Amino acid sequence: MMAQLIKDNTLAADTWQTLELGPDETPENVALPSGDVIFPAAVWLARKTEIISGNKRIGLLLKGDDRLEDIGGDLDHFIVIAIDFPKFVDGRGYSTASLLRQRYRYAGELRAVGDVLHDQLFFLKRVGFDAYALKGDKNAVQAIAKGFSTFSDAYQTSTDQPQPRFRRRA
């Protein structure tokens, strides 16, 4: 079932396609599609010059083991960075998003993909995500209505609230 894209707290059409490697394909030999494509980091690193010359709008897919240090100097090329959550219990994507927003000052779209559930939306937004590919079998309308308001406020600092609660009390 196709994922449902939530962007700016509404359902949105997804115009991007994600390049997936087949069983006999490698980053060096996979055919590069045209259009709005989200490329896996391994493909980007192997064929960066070719991708830049053939695509105007480029996206990047980061998996849990991909290193931000390897692509940190290339962030200006990406319209969207999709961060994969292979399982809902895998929290590496939260750290990756926070680093992209706070350390690397990435201002483009940060999209959570993979095993994304509505009860993660509040926390995903806190670390800097602004787009969410909710699993196709989930109720996106309910996720939008309740997923971002799980808590009325947060005590700790984060990307969306740089001051702790005690500093905001005036």
Side-chain angles (χ1 to χ4, degrees):
M1 192 169 245
M2 194 168 175
Q4 306 165 82
L5 183 63
I6 298 173
K7 187 173 178 181
D8 299 324
N9 293 356
T10 61
L11 279 174
D14 188 1
T15 61
W16 292 84
Q17 62 176 318
T18 301
L19 177 63
E20 295 181 14
L21 298 179
D24 296 330
E25 294 176 321
T26 66
E28 292 79 18
N29 74 11
V30 67
L32 298 179
S34 60
D36 295 346
V37 181
I38 297 174
F39 294 95
V43 175
W44 170 256
L45 292 171
R47 299 169 69 182
K48 184 186 320 183
T49 304
E50 193 177 348
I51 292 170
I52 292 170
S53 67
N55 296 71
K56 293 181 180 171
R57 293 171 31 101
I58 302 169
L60 180 72
L61 174 64
L62 291 174
K63 302 264 185 183
D65 294 334
D66 293 330
R67 295 170 18 104
L68 280 182
E69 296 83 5
D70 295 339
I71 55 100
D74 301 333
L75 295 178
D76 291 340
H77 293 289
F78 308 124
I79 303 290
V80 58
I81 295 179
I83 298 175
D84 183 50
F85 287 82
K87 295 186 267 183
F88 79 95
V89 295
D90 188 336
R92 293 177 290 180
Y94 292 94
S95 300
T96 301
S98 183
L99 286 170
L100 281 168
R101 292 289 194 213
Q102 295 179 19
R103 182 178 298 170
Y104 291 96
R105 303 285 179 216
Y106 177 71
E109 178 182 316
L110 265 187
R111 181 182 297 191
V113 300
D115 196 10
V116 178
L117 305 173
H118 77 276
D119 57 353
Q120 295 172 290
L121 297 180
F122 177 84
F123 301 103
L124 291 168
K125 184 177 180 181
R126 292 217 61 217
V127 296
F129 284 99
D130 53 6
Y132 318 87
L134 198 67
K135 293 175 82 173
D137 61 341
K138 300 301 176 191
N139 185 338
V141 174
Q142 180 183 0
I144 293 168
K146 299 188 178 203
F148 296 103
S149 58
T150 304
F151 301 102
S152 61
D153 202 354
Y155 290 109
Q156 300 88 3
T157 63
S158 190
T159 300
D160 70 341
Q161 181 50 262
Q163 292 211 344
R165 175 84 173 121
F166 73 91
R167 294 245 185 229
R168 288 181 271 138
R169 290 186 297 173

